[in-house]
Amino acid sequence: MKNQILILSFFFMSSSSGFGQVYSDSLIINIQGTLGKLQSENENLKSRLEIQSRSLTDISKNQSLTDKTKWEKIKTNLIKSTEVYKILSDDIIDLKSQVINQDYQGYIKKLSSVEKGPLGFSFEDVILKTAENKAIFSKKKKNERFMSVLKSLKDSPIVGLIPYASQAVNLSTAAVNVAYASGMQDKRVNFDKIKEFEKELQRYTGFYNMLDKANLMNTNSSSQTVTMLEALQLDLLEKFKKDAQKLGYNPRDLRGDESLDDYFNYMIGEFSIDYMKKRISEIEGKYTQKDGKVNLGEMLQMELDLRHVNNNLDYTQSLCNRFISVHDQYFDFENRYFDQVKQAINVAKANNIIEGVGERPSQMIYEDLMKDLGSKKKKKDAAIKSSINIKELKDKIDSVDIYKIL
């Protein structure tokens, strides 16, 4: 009876404790939800106040500006925004072309090869020599047959079918599977030797798996970067066409065999600073009076398209900021990729699979490989930075006096 009371007491205490915990957690969740809602409402209110404040500031500015000052600001903004379009378009095209650098990617691709590469060994030879040394089968003819199968594996299209894995990993997996399958058919096969064979290959596949992981991440990040740049390019095209048409320029349609990059280069070549200056001069000519002075008040009232373009340059600024964000994110991806490739090489070093070449010992091969990898990474980064001047883009968009002419 006493034991039953103790059990019931323990159960009650546990239940009470659990109920208290649930109640406490529920209370915390409700409080957090309320605080989150209040914070969101506060941010919305703050945003509305900022918009109202900017609107009042713009009204105040417009009331204090003369027609001449307004027109000078619009003219300056139109000319500078033309420069921004060219710089941003060129930068997008340049970054897209630099996302995949064949020299850098080709060098890393050599590391994944089953043939003799920068690490000093041929993985094909490693598999064959390891199988030969382990003598998995008791009879010579069966060992020779197994070796013959391994030699034909590397040329089999099936080996390359597994997605996101290097040929080396696929080849190793296939070789081990063949060994175990043969063992299932022959009772005299020594499974311990197969395990030793597998373990020896794992010293190498540890490196290849790490490299595969890095290459998969790089493939995904490169694809993501190109996707974001193409989306940005399409948004820029839409914005450019709207502004250009309001400024008297009607670009032809994209041709069937024409790339978006070529199309942009064509339009930006025509919609130049000289075109913009000429267009401004033509508009001023429409409102030039007999005394040679431009009726700025009438022009500002009538040329609504000019004011519309000027008043929406903040969207052009946001496109520039999007590109800067993609540019910075791309370099983050590249640095992570570089670090993961170095980790893969360090795995190869730790597993003692790097081989010396000629009079150069394995340590020198390792050091030279790290040095060459860093040099090619530095060269690739320098090529991007020299073709894409982020500071120039920032300075140019910052020089546009973004506010609305009412």
Side-chain angles (χ1 to χ4, degrees):
M1 182 67 180
K2 185 182 289 185
N3 289 337
Q4 291 177 338
I5 293 173
L6 287 172
I7 292 171
L8 289 171
S9 298
F10 177 76
F11 175 78
F12 177 77
M13 290 172 65
S14 299
S15 300
S16 299
S17 175
F19 175 77
Q21 182 65 45
V22 170
Y23 177 78
S24 177
D25 290 345
S26 177
L27 182 61
I28 291 172
I29 291 172
N30 288 334
I31 292 173
Q32 289 176 337
T34 303
L35 289 174
K37 185 177 180 181
L38 289 173
Q39 183 177 3
S40 176
E41 291 176 352
N42 183 54
E43 289 175 353
N44 290 335
L45 178 60
K46 183 179 178 181
S47 177
R48 288 197 297 271
L49 289 174
E50 288 176 352
I51 293 172
Q52 291 175 0
S53 177
R54 285 198 299 269
S55 298
L56 290 172
T57 301
D58 288 342
I59 293 171
S60 178
K61 275 186 178 181
N62 275 275
Q63 287 177 341
S64 64
L65 294 179
T66 64
D67 288 341
K68 181 178 180 181
T69 303
K70 290 178 182 179
W71 177 234
E72 288 300 323
K73 285 184 177 294
I74 290 176
K75 283 199 301 183
T76 301
N77 280 347
L78 293 178
I79 292 171
K80 288 182 176 179
S81 66
T82 304
E83 294 179 276
V84 169
Y85 275 124
K86 175 168 175 51
I87 294 171
L88 181 55
S89 175
D90 289 347
D91 284 351
I92 292 172
I93 293 171
D94 285 342
L95 185 55
K96 279 172 63 179
S97 67
Q98 289 286 351
V99 166
I100 299 201
N101 184 297
Q102 293 301 321
D103 181 47
Y104 183 60
Q105 296 295 331
Y107 186 72
I108 295 175
K109 188 176 181 181
K110 289 179 181 178
L111 293 172
S112 302
S113 175
V114 297
E115 300 173 355
K116 191 166 185 177
L119 292 179
F121 65 83
S122 163
F123 192 54
E124 293 173 328
D125 293 341
V126 166
I127 293 176
L128 294 174
K129 288 178 182 178
T130 304
E132 186 177 8
N133 292 338
K134 298 302 178 185
I136 295 170
F137 303 99
S138 57
K139 292 184 178 181
K140 184 179 179 181
K141 286 187 177 181
K142 288 194 174 182
N143 271 310
E144 290 175 351
R145 176 62 181 162
F146 179 57
M147 294 288 288
S148 177
V149 171
L150 294 184
K151 287 179 182 179
S152 64
L153 271 175
K154 73 180 183 67
D155 299 321
S156 171
I158 298 176
V159 171
L161 288 179
I162 304 175
Y164 306 127
S166 67
Q167 185 185 12
V169 174
N170 295 341
L171 186 59
S172 174
T173 302
V176 172
N177 287 342
V178 168
Y180 276 112
S182 300
M184 294 296 290
Q185 298 173 4
D186 189 345
K187 294 180 180 180
R188 288 171 293 185
V189 171
N190 189 333
F191 280 97
D192 289 338
K193 288 185 178 181
I194 297 179
K195 289 179 181 178
E196 289 174 6
F197 173 64
E198 182 179 15
K199 186 175 181 181
E200 178 64 16
L201 296 189
Q202 283 175 348
R203 290 202 300 127
Y204 292 84
T205 55
F207 156 71
Y208 284 113
N209 278 320
M210 179 67 73
L211 196 59
D212 288 343
K213 181 181 177 182
N215 287 332
L216 175 58
M217 185 209 74
N218 180 62
T219 298
N220 290 338
S221 62
S222 295
S223 176
Q224 181 180 340
T225 299
V226 171
T227 299
M228 289 190 293
L229 287 172
E230 288 178 343
L232 174 59
Q233 204 169 23
L234 290 173
D235 288 344
L236 178 63
L237 176 62
E238 182 181 5
K239 170 65 174 169
F240 172 81
K241 278 190 168 183
K242 286 180 179 179
D243 284 357
Q245 288 170 353
K246 289 183 181 297
L247 295 169
Y249 174 72
N250 294 301
R252 61 168 173 77
D253 293 332
L254 178 70
R255 292 169 180 164
D257 60 344
E258 190 175 27
S259 71
L260 197 56
D261 293 351
D262 290 339
Y263 186 48
F264 256 108
N265 286 332
Y266 155 75
M267 289 190 299
I268 295 299
E270 289 199 336
F271 193 78
S272 62
I273 293 176
D274 289 339
Y275 170 86
M276 182 57 67
K277 289 180 178 179
K278 181 181 178 182
R279 181 60 183 153
I280 289 172
S281 179
E282 290 173 351
I283 292 171
E284 288 179 333
K286 288 168 58 179
Y287 300 93
T288 300
Q289 304 171 125
K290 292 181 180 180
D291 59 1
K293 294 182 179 180
V294 179
N295 188 336
L296 297 176
E298 182 184 1
M299 184 174 64
L300 290 172
Q301 288 297 318
M302 298 301 296
E303 297 296 332
L304 299 180
D305 284 343
L306 294 182
R307 285 165 53 185
H308 181 274
V309 172
N310 177 83
N311 292 348
N312 288 278
L313 288 176
D314 51 348
Y315 181 66
T316 306
Q317 184 183 54
S318 72
L319 293 176
C320 291
N321 290 332
R322 268 176 63 188
F323 173 78
I324 293 170
S325 177
V326 174
H327 172 274
D328 293 345
Q329 181 175 297
Y330 173 69
F331 272 98
D332 288 341
F333 283 147
E334 280 295 290
N335 291 334
R336 286 171 54 196
Y337 179 46
F338 179 63
D339 288 340
Q340 286 195 348
V341 172
K342 287 197 300 182
Q343 286 178 29
I345 296 171
N346 283 325
V347 167
K349 184 176 185 294
N351 290 351
N352 198 30
I353 64 174
I354 301 176
E355 296 180 5
V357 178
E359 297 181 354
R360 298 166 64 212
S362 61
Q363 179 62 27
M364 186 177 291
I365 296 293
Y366 167 78
E367 291 172 358
D368 288 348
L369 180 58
M370 285 297 201
K371 183 179 179 181
D372 289 346
L373 189 66
S375 176
K376 291 185 183 297
K377 168 69 163 57
K378 187 176 181 180
K379 182 179 178 182
K380 181 181 181 183
D381 289 351
I384 296 175
K385 290 176 181 177
S386 64
S387 63
I388 300 173
N389 191 334
I390 288 295
K391 184 178 184 304
E392 179 189 22
L393 179 62
K394 288 181 178 179
D395 289 345
K396 191 60 65 176
I397 191 61
D398 287 344
S399 69
V400 178
D401 190 3
I402 296 176
Y403 77 94
K404 303 185 186 302
I405 301 290
L406 304 179

PDB file of all heavy atoms in Angstrom, residues 25 36 76 90 139 145 202 226 337 358:
ATOM      1  N   ASP A  25       5.646  27.188 -20.721  1.00  0.00           N
ATOM      2  CA  ASP A  25       6.056  27.303 -22.123  1.00  0.00           C
ATOM      3  C   ASP A  25       4.994  28.025 -22.940  1.00  0.00           C
ATOM      4  O   ASP A  25       5.290  28.862 -23.792  1.00  0.00           O
ATOM      5  CB  ASP A  25       6.295  25.918 -22.727  1.00  0.00           C
ATOM      6  CG  ASP A  25       7.543  25.259 -22.135  1.00  0.00           C
ATOM      7  OD1 ASP A  25       8.336  25.987 -21.505  1.00  0.00           O
ATOM      8  OD2 ASP A  25       7.698  24.042 -22.302  1.00  0.00           O
ATOM      9  N   GLY A  36       6.213  40.075 -30.452  1.00  0.00           N
ATOM     10  CA  GLY A  36       6.531  40.078 -31.877  1.00  0.00           C
ATOM     11  C   GLY A  36       5.538  40.911 -32.667  1.00  0.00           C
ATOM     12  O   GLY A  36       5.911  41.662 -33.574  1.00  0.00           O
ATOM     13  N   THR A  76      20.898  66.899 -64.467  1.00  0.00           N
ATOM     14  CA  THR A  76      22.076  66.213 -63.904  1.00  0.00           C
ATOM     15  C   THR A  76      21.754  64.759 -63.582  1.00  0.00           C
ATOM     16  O   THR A  76      22.544  63.854 -63.867  1.00  0.00           O
ATOM     17  CB  THR A  76      22.549  66.930 -62.628  1.00  0.00           C
ATOM     18  OG1 THR A  76      22.875  68.291 -62.951  1.00  0.00           O
ATOM     19  CG2 THR A  76      23.790  66.247 -62.053  1.00  0.00           C
ATOM     20  N   ASP A  90      27.198  46.659 -67.598  1.00  0.00           N
ATOM     21  CA  ASP A  90      28.529  46.083 -67.843  1.00  0.00           C
ATOM     22  C   ASP A  90      28.971  45.193 -66.687  1.00  0.00           C
ATOM     23  O   ASP A  90      29.545  44.117 -66.900  1.00  0.00           O
ATOM     24  CB  ASP A  90      29.562  47.195 -68.049  1.00  0.00           C
ATOM     25  CG  ASP A  90      29.389  47.915 -69.387  1.00  0.00           C
ATOM     26  OD1 ASP A  90      28.643  47.394 -70.241  1.00  0.00           O
ATOM     27  OD2 ASP A  90      29.996  48.996 -69.567  1.00  0.00           O
ATOM     28  N   LYS A 139      42.894 -18.444 -56.195  1.00  0.00           N
ATOM     29  CA  LYS A 139      43.427 -18.910 -57.466  1.00  0.00           C
ATOM     30  C   LYS A 139      43.894 -17.737 -58.328  1.00  0.00           C
ATOM     31  O   LYS A 139      43.238 -16.703 -58.406  1.00  0.00           O
ATOM     32  CB  LYS A 139      42.374 -19.715 -58.220  1.00  0.00           C
ATOM     33  CG  LYS A 139      42.039 -21.049 -57.562  1.00  0.00           C
ATOM     34  CD  LYS A 139      41.074 -21.839 -58.402  1.00  0.00           C
ATOM     35  CE  LYS A 139      40.774 -23.197 -57.763  1.00  0.00           C
ATOM     36  NZ  LYS A 139      39.840 -23.999 -58.605  1.00  0.00           N
ATOM     37  N   ARG A 145      41.251 -12.469 -63.485  1.00  0.00           N
ATOM     38  CA  ARG A 145      39.929 -12.120 -63.990  1.00  0.00           C
ATOM     39  C   ARG A 145      39.388 -10.881 -63.285  1.00  0.00           C
ATOM     40  O   ARG A 145      38.804  -9.982 -63.913  1.00  0.00           O
ATOM     41  CB  ARG A 145      38.973 -13.307 -63.785  1.00  0.00           C
ATOM     42  CG  ARG A 145      37.525 -13.047 -64.175  1.00  0.00           C
ATOM     43  CD  ARG A 145      37.379 -12.738 -65.624  1.00  0.00           C
ATOM     44  NE  ARG A 145      35.999 -12.476 -65.993  1.00  0.00           N
ATOM     45  CZ  ARG A 145      35.621 -11.869 -67.095  1.00  0.00           C
ATOM     46  NH1 ARG A 145      36.518 -11.425 -67.958  1.00  0.00           N
ATOM     47  NH2 ARG A 145      34.343 -11.690 -67.357  1.00  0.00           N
ATOM     48  N   GLN A 202      39.406   3.517 -49.035  1.00  0.00           N
ATOM     49  CA  GLN A 202      38.741   4.584 -48.274  1.00  0.00           C
ATOM     50  C   GLN A 202      39.702   5.706 -47.892  1.00  0.00           C
ATOM     51  O   GLN A 202      39.269   6.839 -47.673  1.00  0.00           O
ATOM     52  CB  GLN A 202      38.094   3.996 -47.013  1.00  0.00           C
ATOM     53  CG  GLN A 202      36.796   3.248 -47.293  1.00  0.00           C
ATOM     54  CD  GLN A 202      36.225   2.572 -46.071  1.00  0.00           C
ATOM     55  OE1 GLN A 202      36.890   2.466 -45.031  1.00  0.00           O
ATOM     56  NE2 GLN A 202      34.996   2.091 -46.173  1.00  0.00           N
ATOM     57  N   VAL A 226      24.309  32.977 -61.054  1.00  0.00           N
ATOM     58  CA  VAL A 226      23.877  33.270 -62.422  1.00  0.00           C
ATOM     59  C   VAL A 226      22.371  33.531 -62.465  1.00  0.00           C
ATOM     60  O   VAL A 226      21.907  34.455 -63.139  1.00  0.00           O
ATOM     61  CB  VAL A 226      24.249  32.110 -63.371  1.00  0.00           C
ATOM     62  CG1 VAL A 226      23.607  32.310 -64.739  1.00  0.00           C
ATOM     63  CG2 VAL A 226      25.762  32.011 -63.517  1.00  0.00           C
ATOM     64  N   TYR A 337      34.302  27.887 -50.997  1.00  0.00           N
ATOM     65  CA  TYR A 337      34.727  26.830 -51.921  1.00  0.00           C
ATOM     66  C   TYR A 337      36.238  26.597 -51.813  1.00  0.00           C
ATOM     67  O   TYR A 337      36.705  25.459 -51.720  1.00  0.00           O
ATOM     68  CB  TYR A 337      34.345  27.233 -53.338  1.00  0.00           C
ATOM     69  CG  TYR A 337      34.740  26.236 -54.410  1.00  0.00           C
ATOM     70  CD1 TYR A 337      34.506  24.874 -54.249  1.00  0.00           C
ATOM     71  CD2 TYR A 337      35.330  26.660 -55.601  1.00  0.00           C
ATOM     72  CE1 TYR A 337      34.849  23.960 -55.241  1.00  0.00           C
ATOM     73  CE2 TYR A 337      35.674  25.758 -56.590  1.00  0.00           C
ATOM     74  CZ  TYR A 337      35.433  24.410 -56.404  1.00  0.00           C
ATOM     75  OH  TYR A 337      35.780  23.511 -57.374  1.00  0.00           O
ATOM     76  N   GLY A 358      59.374  12.329 -58.938  1.00  0.00           N
ATOM     77  CA  GLY A 358      60.794  12.524 -59.209  1.00  0.00           C
ATOM     78  C   GLY A 358      61.559  12.787 -57.929  1.00  0.00           C
ATOM     79  O   GLY A 358      61.476  12.012 -56.971  1.00  0.00           O
TER      80      GLY A 358
END
